[in-house]
Amino acid sequence: MTDPIRHATACLFLVLSLVATSNSALSQSTDRIRTIGGSESGEVIRMSPVSVVIQKGSETKEIPVNEIRSIIFRQEPSELTQARLNAVNAGYESALSRLSAINTSALTNDFIKQDVEYYTAYCNAKMALLGSKNIRAAGMELNSFVGKYDQSYHFLEATELLGDLLATMGNYSAAEAMYNKLAKAPWPEYRMRSAVLVGQTMLAQGKNQQALGQFDAALKVNDDSPGGKQQRLAAELGKAVASAATGNVDEGLKAVEQVIRDADPENDQLLAKAYNALGACYVQSGQPKLALYAYLHTDLLYGRVAEEHAEALAKLIPLWESVGQDGEARRARETLVTQYPASRWAKQLQ
């Protein structure tokens, strides 16, 4: 290689190095908010349960919480970045391992500290719902977060999750109090969400007429957003189950079948609820074999959807017995008690 070429090559490498360093410095000097429609960057200067405010030069911008998927804070530990990704993809153990490696006393940004605490409580709560953590301890930890950080942008999500823990423990009145807080958010989707969740707790208590009122209230809300459409399907499912329980079985079956046809095939939670609802309708109509197939669908395809999987296992036990498959009934019982020992479904076996 001649000297001019060597010199030009060295200069090129230097320029590329400077560009890379500049880009790296830029990426580390700003907070990045991933939204439903793209991303925003700037410095997070303020947050509340319903919005996050960022500063971009001399301007500020307010971003609604219902549009935010995640926030990566500048200078946050790489362990937090990876743990957040693990957590939202149900890798709770991996997330907790990474979070435990963070020296929180060295953190100077309060928003970063909040995120470490939130995702720790979030993962423990999710694992408690799956039966691998103490549900009472997880509830206390999450309740502490909600009380301590009532202006966090995680507040609504944490409140709903706390309601899920309370409902799983059978404390329905406390769960409903948590779910009712969601209705105070400024978006129609959250009013629907609140009504659907309260309706589901009423179904769990056998309060079918009251549950119908909640699901009807959700269906009356006009919201064509993607989230609103999902809540509408969830409300239709809940109404179908409540209708079947009050004697309108054919109406319930038709509604559930329509939801299954309309549902996004990637929405495991909604489909798990739908097949459980289908099973409940078949039980009400005196068709145990069809009910068994519906609940088995949830067992085999949606085992990662904890609450619905636990319900399906509990309902499969008597259905397997009714067709003389005692071995399958024992398998369902053992799986339920082993995987979801703290669930209300496992407690019903005691």
Side-chain angles (χ1 to χ4, degrees):
M1 183 182 293
T2 64
D3 286 343
I5 295 176
R6 183 180 290 112
H7 178 71
T9 302
C11 289
L12 177 60
F13 278 127
L14 178 60
V15 169
L16 291 174
S17 177
L18 288 172
V19 169
T21 301
S22 175
N23 287 340
S24 176
L26 179 62
S27 67
Q28 294 297 312
S29 65
T30 184
D31 300 325
R32 297 192 300 279
I33 301 180
R34 183 179 169 226
T35 64
I36 292 174
S39 64
E40 298 281 354
S41 62
E43 181 185 358
V44 175
I45 59 172
R46 189 166 61 254
M47 64 174 60
S48 76
V50 298
S51 69
V52 172
V53 178
I54 59 172
Q55 178 116 31
K56 304 175 71 171
S58 60
E59 299 181 351
T60 60
K61 183 172 184 178
E62 186 172 10
I63 305 170
V65 163
N66 67 328
E67 295 180 9
I68 297 175
R69 293 190 182 276
S70 64
I71 301 177
I72 300 177
F73 297 97
R74 60 191 176 94
Q75 299 176 347
E76 71 175 29
S78 60
E79 293 88 353
L80 173 58
T81 309
Q82 187 59 51
R84 187 185 294 112
L85 185 61
N86 292 147
V88 298
N89 287 299
Y92 308 124
E93 290 187 13
S94 296
L96 287 172
S97 176
R98 294 179 187 278
L99 290 166
S100 67
I102 297 173
N103 178 11
T104 54
S105 63
L107 300 176
T108 57
N109 184 314
D110 287 340
F111 295 141
I112 295 175
K113 289 180 181 179
Q114 283 185 35
D115 253 30
V116 173
E117 289 190 40
Y118 175 68
Y119 283 107
T120 300
Y122 173 90
C123 290
N124 282 327
K126 288 291 189 178
M127 292 180 72
L129 290 173
L130 290 168
S132 55
K133 290 278 186 178
N134 182 282
I135 196 164
R136 191 169 297 278
M140 291 175 64
E141 182 181 31
L142 196 58
N143 188 57
S144 175
F145 178 88
V146 169
K148 186 178 178 181
Y149 298 116
D150 62 352
Q151 292 304 300
S152 169
Y153 86 101
H154 293 299
F155 181 83
L156 292 173
E157 184 179 39
T159 298
E160 181 177 338
L161 185 53
L162 183 55
D164 294 343
L165 291 171
L166 290 164
T168 298
M169 290 189 288
N171 192 344
Y172 296 115
S173 60
E176 288 172 17
M178 292 297 112
Y179 295 148
N180 280 326
K181 291 181 180 181
L182 302 181
K184 297 177 182 178
W187 312 294
E189 172 194 344
Y190 275 71
R191 292 198 297 276
M192 297 175 74
R193 193 182 198 93
S194 173
V196 167
L197 289 167
V198 172
Q200 288 170 352
T201 65
M202 290 178 173
L203 274 182
Q205 299 170 79
K207 299 178 179 179
N208 300 310
Q209 287 294 345
Q210 290 170 272
L212 276 172
Q214 290 292 324
F215 297 129
D216 280 334
L219 291 170
K220 288 177 182 176
V221 177
N222 185 21
D223 183 7
D224 290 329
S225 70
K229 290 177 181 177
Q230 292 302 313
Q231 291 307 313
R232 182 166 298 279
L233 289 174
E236 288 171 353
L237 274 182
K239 183 175 181 178
V241 174
S243 296
T246 54
N248 297 319
V249 179
D250 290 341
E251 177 184 328
L253 278 170
K254 289 178 182 178
V256 174
E257 290 166 352
Q258 187 63 50
V259 169
I260 291 173
R261 285 193 292 270
D262 292 344
D264 179 349
E266 299 298 319
N267 192 334
D268 288 358
Q269 185 170 34
L270 180 63
L271 285 167
K273 286 181 181 295
Y275 280 102
N276 282 0
L278 190 63
C281 289
Y282 281 133
V283 168
Q284 289 293 328
S285 67
Q287 301 179 77
K289 286 188 178 179
L290 291 177
L292 189 152
Y293 295 145
Y295 287 119
L296 191 58
H297 209 102
T298 301
D299 180 26
L300 296 178
L301 294 182
Y302 306 114
R304 290 188 65 84
V305 186
E307 171 66 15
E308 283 66 37
H309 188 213
E311 178 185 358
L313 290 167
K315 297 301 177 70
L316 280 169
I317 295 170
L319 290 170
W320 279 124
E321 291 172 344
S322 72
V323 295
Q325 295 292 328
D326 293 345
E328 290 297 332
R330 283 194 297 272
R331 182 200 66 81
R333 179 184 293 270
E334 290 169 2
T335 304
L336 174 59
V337 172
T338 301
Q339 291 190 14
Y340 311 106
S343 72
R344 62 191 175 97
W345 303 105
K347 290 177 180 177
Q348 289 176 6
L349 301 178
Q350 298 173 1

